[in-house]
Amino acid sequence: DTGVSQDPRHKITKRGQNVTFRCDPISEHNRLYWYRQTLGQGPEFLTYFQNEAQLEKSRLLSDRFSAERPKGSFSTLEIQRTEQGDSAMYLCASSSGQGGNSQYFGAGTRLSVL
Amino acid sequence: QQQVKQSPQSLIVQKGGISIINCAYENTAFDYFPWYQQFPGKGPALLIAIRPDVSEKKEGRFTISFNKSAKQFSLHIMDSQPGDSATYFCAATGHNFNKFYFGSGTKLNVKP
């Protein structure tokens, strides 16, 4: 399967711990997005990379959140000092930026902060 | 402030009927309006998208109607099938595609 891959699928952590998620986009896609989705809501934009450059970051994003995309391939999203309010599904999407810019989403990482 | 407002929150339609989901936006800089379908445990999948220079786009049983002056767009699912039962999201972004805003979703249930 050459779709967007996210790891892990599920993460349970205790409040105050740091967590890191990984996203492997479709190989030729230069655009990569991170979203957060809570139950019954639509995806909420977190950040956007074009190749290795982080071009957009939500103002709502706490400085406990950081994302990287070294070499413009896979990306990681780290949450430091997790809080119960961080519990959500974290989605990654990638696109080629061509034509209609179709975003392809991964299945997400579900984070539960106890 | 929610950039894209979606309604209804949930929808029940009989098999063969038409499902209609509506979205409204305020930002006139938005330039691309996609619709996504999401099944439980999966990420959203692009269904169909439209740009504001056309008023309607059809792909199979799915049609987007776009009203630029009213800043509204809607998804019509013709001949709805039980397999269409899912959550649907509208979204919007500007011309550089740097940031997408999603609606809150509509949970569609198509009864056999």
Side-chain angles (χ1 to χ4, degrees), chain A residues 9 31 33 35 37 40-43 45 48 50 55-59 91 99-108, chain B residues 2 9 32 34 36 38 41-46 49 51 87 89-90 93 95-105:
Chain A
R9 290 295 310 278
R31 293 171 177 250
Y33 306 80
Y35 295 88
Q37 186 176 28
Q41 296 298 314
F45 173 83
Y48 160 67
Q50 186 165 325
L55 298 185
E56 192 78 47
K57 185 176 178 181
S58 171
R59 283 179 235 167
L91 294 165
N101 196 66
S102 301
Q103 287 190 42
Y104 293 85
F105 280 83
Chain B
Q2 199 171 9
Q9 189 174 359
Y32 177 74
Y36 292 85
Q38 186 175 28
K42 304 283 188 180
L46 178 69
R51 288 186 180 266
T87 300
F89 296 97
C90 60
T93 186
H95 71 278
N96 58 9
F97 299 98
N98 282 9
K99 190 172 184 177
F100 282 74
Y101 297 91
F102 281 75
S104 55

Side-chain angles (χ1 to χ4, degrees), chain A residues 102-103, chain B residues 21 32-39 44-50 57-64 75-77 84 86-90 108:
Chain A
S102 301
Q103 287 190 42
Chain B
I21 304 170
Y32 177 74
F33 302 86
W35 284 90
Y36 292 85
Q37 179 189 58
Q38 186 175 28
F39 292 104
L46 178 69
L47 267 180
I48 186 172
I50 197 168
K57 183 174 181 181
K58 184 176 180 179
E59 288 184 3
R61 296 185 294 109
F62 301 94
T63 300
I64 300 179
L75 176 70
H76 296 232
I77 306 174
D84 296 331
T87 300
Y88 292 81
F89 296 97
C90 60
L108 172 65

Side-chain angles (χ1 to χ4, degrees), chain B residues 11-19 79-86 107-112:
Chain B
L11 183 61
I12 300 174
V13 173
Q14 289 296 127
K15 178 182 175 182
I18 302 174
S19 303
D79 187 26
S80 299
Q81 300 296 313
D84 296 331
S85 297
K107 189 171 184 179
L108 172 65
N109 184 8
V110 181
K111 290 196 172 292

Side-chain angles (χ1 to χ4, degrees), chain A:
Chain A
D1 189 321
T2 56
V4 177
S5 176
Q6 292 189 244
D7 184 69
R9 290 295 310 278
H10 299 95
K11 178 71 177 178
I12 300 173
T13 191
K14 292 183 179 179
R15 189 175 52 186
Q17 298 295 304
N18 299 344
V19 294
T20 300
F21 310 140
R22 177 180 171 122
C23 171
D24 286 273
I26 294 172
S27 60
E28 65 269 25
H29 285 184
N30 62 342
R31 293 171 177 250
L32 188 146
Y33 306 80
W34 283 99
Y35 295 88
R36 176 171 61 192
Q37 186 176 28
T38 54
L39 199 62
Q41 296 298 314
E44 176 190 9
F45 173 83
L46 293 178
T47 192
Y48 160 67
F49 289 87
Q50 186 165 325
N51 299 311
E52 66 276 8
Q54 187 175 22
L55 298 185
E56 192 78 47
K57 185 176 178 181
S58 171
R59 283 179 235 167
L60 302 174
L61 204 60
S62 159
D63 57 9
R64 296 184 296 106
F65 287 70
S66 62
E68 293 183 340
R69 194 183 181 195
K71 302 178 184 178
S73 55
F74 72 92
S75 176
T76 58
L77 177 69
E78 181 183 17
I79 308 174
Q80 295 183 329
R81 305 182 303 282
T82 52
E83 301 172 357
Q84 287 187 325
D86 297 331
S87 296
M89 177 74 83
Y90 290 84
L91 294 165
C92 175
S94 70
S95 74
S96 65
Q98 300 296 321
N101 196 66
S102 301
Q103 287 190 42
Y104 293 85
F105 280 83
T109 294
R110 180 164 295 284
L111 173 66
S112 297
V113 182
L114 305 179

